[in-house]
């Protein structure tokens, strides 16, 4: 019986995803079956019926009963895709391909007997180690999406389901398959194929030093696809171009060898994702980037400041984080959960917490785009909102009021569209070594911060990230930068937590900057503003907790999580014995955290080791006595 089954196994599966395309299938399926009748059961046509379209099913079962009975046609009902996504649509055949070869076939494609015979002959010649791209050489004519490769390679590599819905899906599969199987024959209808025709792809391959074994063959098709597009149809500066940029750059980042190359492509992918958000309307942005919501979006309370965050696994901090922001007048909460082991919906099961699950991109390429898409779906123009990470607690100094709404009102009264923040790494008091866990007691134990201007500052001052963030005001960062003192890592402590939303907003991946199309980016001088918001940062809590250090170490291994600098910093932070760090803490000056101390732009001048011509205390006294502006004293 097994021998009979093996003999009946088809060699080639033409796989056709169909959703709202019955008219096209009616025009092509009969012709394709008749043209390929002579191959018998060696060739099958597998139709995926997305959304269980009864009209489509009725048409196939009525008109192709004998083909269904013989197995030449198979009909697979699958869930509807909304919105349509080419990669997801074409991956549904992974569990349904019975043949040795997978071949993608759109509902409007024709396939001739000569073409099928060519595929079978090439398969025999190359013993299954080939990939055929049925691209004519004319972009947009409906042929670039046709590809044939071994079914096991299709299953193992597959289409990228985290790509944006359209553009470059087949090209990514080709690059990824060639990467996975070096020496695979790349068969095309002209020398170099699409890998040479695409200038960006050809440049990528040159830069990577990748040689392609291209085998040109004759194009034996006898009929063109039904729905060709106009030449240059994606070069409109709109959504399709943004999708192309994101998907192509994500593919290059995934397949690049060097970390520098990956970083460059990651950056390009981020701009593509953000451009896509800006071209979509609010409902479409939500639908494109996220899975369907568990609950409808809420109406906003005029007295509260909404919070947007992207998180992964920071479970231990969530409850206190949520309560803190509730206390200072924030809500509701819109949290992008990037695959936390314990879902955020279980950690924070509150009616004002709305969890969004990404369907596109990865943290490295899409953190900012996810939040921009969520904001676009939720916020009206001009609404103030807070963007923070899960281990960041923004405080409102008494000079700005008591609530986040007060801080927003102060920024608006000053004519600003955002308020600066300063990240303050929280530490335990020198006399109290932290306990063995980061859970439950971290707010009590980590209630101090570094306040020390002593030591050799030269390397810190020269660092490009520090110069970008603070310029000549770098000392304000130096005196509170505990991570630099403990591990020698350079982290940008400036943040933009509070912003006035506009549809043209562009968020920085780490919230270190913000931009609007009608204004210049943030400048260094703004971090000397009386609008400054201190932000308690509890990342160092994790370094004293074994499980959290292990999780951070795992994150540091994943290229789609953090940029190269952050990854290097994480690796440095989680390495070694924390006991040595504890010894370092004893030699540094720390103080109890007080947001009002940090709200003064001259706070750092009071730090031990800071030698200044005029002390911060004297400056404040002069200001109080004579009304001398702080700006004039700098």
């Amino acid at each position: 019986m097994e021998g009979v089954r093996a003999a009946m196994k088809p060699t080639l599966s033409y796989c056709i995803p169909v959703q709202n395309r019955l008219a096209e299938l009616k025009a092509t399926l009969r012709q394709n079956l008749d043209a390929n009748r002579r191959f018998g059961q060696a060739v099958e046509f597998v139709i995926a019926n997305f959304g269980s379209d009864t009209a489509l099913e009725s048409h196939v079962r009525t008109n192709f009963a004998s083909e269904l009975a013989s197995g030449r046609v198979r009909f697979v009902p699958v869930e509807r895709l909304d919105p349509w996504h080419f990669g997801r649509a074409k991956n549904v055949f992974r569990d349904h391909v019975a043949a040795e070869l997978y071949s993608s076939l759109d509902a409007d494609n024709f396939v001739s007997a000569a073409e099928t015979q060519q595929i079978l002959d090439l398969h025999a010649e190359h013993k299954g180690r080939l990939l055929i791209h049925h691209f004519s050489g004319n972009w947009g004519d409906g042929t670039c999406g046709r590809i044939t490769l071994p079914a096991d390679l299709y299953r193992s590599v597959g289409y990228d389901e985290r790509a944006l819905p359209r553009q470059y899906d087949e090209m990514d599969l080709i690059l990824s398959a060639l990467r996975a199987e070096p020496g695979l024959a790349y068969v095309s209808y002209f020398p170099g194929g699409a890998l040479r025709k695409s200038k960006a792809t050809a440049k990528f391959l040159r830069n990577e030093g990748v040689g392609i074994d291209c085998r040109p063959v004759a194009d034996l098709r006898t009929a063109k696809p039904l729905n060709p597009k106009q030449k240059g149809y994606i070069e409109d500066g709109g959504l399709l171009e943004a999708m192309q940029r994101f998907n192509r750059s994500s593919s290059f980042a995934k397949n690049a060898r060097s970390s520098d190359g990956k970083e460059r492509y990651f950056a390009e992918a981020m701009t593509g994702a953000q451009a896509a958000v800006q071209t979509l309307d609010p409902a479409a942005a939500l639908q494109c980037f996220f899975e369907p919501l568990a609950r409808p979006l809420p109406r906003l309370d005029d007295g509260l400041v909404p919070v947007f965050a992207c998180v992964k696994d920071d479970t231990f901090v969530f409850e206190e984080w949520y309560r803190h922001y509730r206390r200072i007048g924030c809500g509701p909460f819109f949290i992008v959960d990037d695959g936390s082991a314990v879902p955020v919906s279980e950690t924070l099961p509150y009616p004002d917490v709305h969890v969004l699950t990404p369907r596109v991109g990865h943290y490295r390429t899409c953190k900012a785009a996810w939040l921009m898409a969520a904001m676009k779906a939720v916020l009206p123009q001009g609404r103030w909102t807070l963007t923070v990470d899960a281990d960041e607690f923004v405080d409102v100094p008494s000079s700005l009021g008591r609530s986040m709404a007060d801080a927003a009102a102060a920024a608006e009264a000053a004519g600003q569209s955002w308020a600066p923040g300063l990240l303050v790494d929280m530490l335990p008091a020198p006399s109290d070594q932290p306990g063995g866990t980061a859970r439950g007691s971290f707010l009590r134990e980590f209630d101090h911060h570094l306040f020390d201007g002593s030591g050799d500052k030269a390397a810190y001052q020269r660092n490009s990230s520090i110069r970008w963030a603070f310029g000549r005001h770098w000392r304000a960062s130096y005196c509170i930068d505990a991570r630099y003192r403990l591990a020698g890592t350079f982290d940008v402590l400036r943040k933009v937590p509070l912003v006035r939303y506009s549809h043209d907003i562009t968020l920085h991946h780490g919230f270190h900057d913000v931009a609007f199309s009608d204004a210049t980016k943030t400048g260094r001088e703004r971090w000397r503003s009386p609008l400054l918001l201190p932000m308690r940062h509890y990342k160092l809590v994790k370094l004293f907790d074994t499980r959290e250090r292990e999780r951070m170490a795992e994150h540091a291994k994943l290229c789609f999580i953090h940029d190269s600098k952050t990854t290097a910093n994480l690796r440095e932070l989680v390495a070694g014995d924390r006991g040595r760090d504890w010894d370092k803490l004893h030699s540094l000056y720390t103080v109890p955290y007080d947001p009002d101390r940090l709200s003064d732009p001259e706070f750092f001048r009071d730090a031990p080791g800071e030698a200044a011509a005029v002390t911060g205390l004297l400056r404040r006294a002069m200001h109080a006595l004579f009304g001398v502006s702080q700006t004039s004293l700098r």
Side-chain angles (χ1 to χ4, degrees), residues 137-156:
N138 298 312
W139 302 116
D141 70 353
T143 63
C144 190
R146 294 261 347 263
I147 188 172
T148 300
L149 72 163
D152 57 351
L153 186 58
Y154 155 69
R155 292 189 191 96
S156 63

Side-chain angles (χ1 to χ4, degrees), residues 46-124:
V46 185
I47 301 168
N49 179 15
F50 286 84
S52 301
D53 185 338
T54 55
L56 173 62
E57 182 173 2
S58 175
H59 171 76
V60 173
R61 297 199 181 282
T62 301
N63 295 280
F64 302 96
S66 62
E67 287 84 356
L68 287 166
S70 68
R72 290 186 63 222
V73 172
R74 286 198 289 126
F75 196 74
V76 181
V78 290
E79 291 185 5
R80 181 179 177 82
L81 282 179
D82 198 8
W84 180 257
H85 189 288
F86 279 97
R88 292 188 177 197
K90 293 179 180 181
N91 274 345
V92 301
F93 298 98
R94 278 171 155 167
D95 296 330
H96 302 289
V97 171
E100 297 171 31
L101 294 173
Y102 160 85
S103 188
S104 59
L105 193 71
D106 287 339
D108 62 350
N109 291 155
F110 295 97
V111 58
S112 68
E115 180 185 1
T116 299
Q117 186 63 60
Q118 184 186 58
I119 293 172
L120 297 175
D121 291 344
L122 287 165
H123 175 55

Side-chain angles (χ1 to χ4, degrees), residues 18 20-28 107 226:
V18 184
N20 301 332
R21 301 184 75 176
L22 175 56
E24 295 173 357
L25 193 71
K26 285 181 177 179
T28 61
L226 295 175

Side-chain angles (χ1 to χ4, degrees), residues 321-603:
W321 179 87
Y322 170 77
R323 292 184 184 211
H324 166 73
Y325 286 112
R326 287 276 293 174
R327 279 194 296 269
I328 59 173
C330 293
F333 298 78
F334 301 93
I335 302 178
V336 178
D337 185 0
D338 186 26
S340 296
V342 179
V344 174
S345 57
E346 296 178 15
T347 309
L348 296 178
Y350 302 115
D352 61 346
V353 175
H354 299 265
V355 179
L356 300 99
T357 303
R359 69 181 352 155
V360 167
H362 300 269
Y363 183 91
R364 180 68 183 88
T365 57
C366 277
K367 176 190 175 184
W370 288 336
L371 295 173
M372 288 165 58
M375 287 180 178
K376 193 168 194 176
V378 171
L379 299 176
Q381 294 271 23
R383 182 66 186 249
W384 284 89
T385 188
L386 200 65
T387 57
V388 289
D389 290 330
D391 52 10
E392 297 172 353
F393 288 53
V394 182
D395 289 308
V396 180
S398 60
S399 59
L400 296 181
R402 302 179 61 183
S403 70
M404 194 58 63
D406 292 337
E412 186 151 1
Q416 305 298 337
S417 56
W418 55 274
L422 188 64
L423 214 56
V424 184
D425 286 317
M426 301 304 293
L427 297 167
S431 59
D432 299 324
Q433 184 165 355
T437 178
R439 292 154 180 79
S441 61
F442 70 94
L443 288 181
R444 292 195 306 273
E445 290 187 358
F446 285 72
D447 59 356
H448 280 58
H449 67 87
L450 184 71
F451 195 54
D452 194 325
S454 63
D456 184 358
K457 309 178 183 69
Y460 196 84
Q461 182 182 5
R462 289 194 305 267
N463 181 264
S464 59
S465 295
I466 301 302
R467 291 202 308 270
W468 170 81
F470 296 102
R472 62 190 178 89
H473 307 304
W474 56 272
R475 290 180 179 84
S477 174
Y478 177 81
C479 75
I480 62 170
D481 194 340
R483 280 173 285 174
Y484 176 69
R485 305 300 185 86
L486 294 177
T489 60
F490 290 97
D491 301 277
V492 174
L493 302 186
R494 75 176 232 181
K495 288 276 189 167
V496 186
L498 186 63
V499 297
R500 191 171 184 266
Y501 177 72
S502 172
H503 283 345
D504 65 350
I505 194 171
T506 299
L507 298 177
H508 185 277
H509 180 79
F511 305 141
H512 302 301
D513 211 347
V514 68
F516 302 90
S517 62
D518 62 348
T520 58
K521 283 191 174 183
T522 54
R524 301 161 180 161
E525 295 296 327
R526 291 284 294 278
W527 272 265
R528 303 273 286 186
S529 165
L531 297 173
L532 185 71
L533 297 172
M535 302 171 64
R536 284 175 284 152
H537 189 214
Y538 290 97
K539 183 176 289 294
L540 294 182
V541 177
K542 304 170 191 176
L543 300 184
F544 294 90
D545 181 276
T546 302
R547 274 192 293 168
E548 291 300 323
R549 286 182 64 200
E550 290 174 352
R551 186 179 67 81
M552 290 170 70
E554 287 302 312
H555 281 197
K557 297 176 184 177
L558 303 175
C559 69
F560 274 96
I561 298 294
H562 299 292
D563 60 59
S564 58
K565 289 182 180 179
T566 304
T567 298
N569 286 350
L570 277 176
R571 288 173 178 164
E572 183 65 30
L573 285 170
V574 299
D577 178 15
R578 294 279 68 80
R580 292 199 300 268
D581 292 343
W582 181 246
D583 292 338
K584 290 179 185 178
L585 287 178
H586 282 292
S587 66
L588 297 171
Y589 186 70
T590 62
V591 294
Y593 173 78
D594 178 2
D596 286 344
R597 171 189 289 115
L598 297 161
S599 69
D600 181 345
E602 301 298 322
F603 75 89

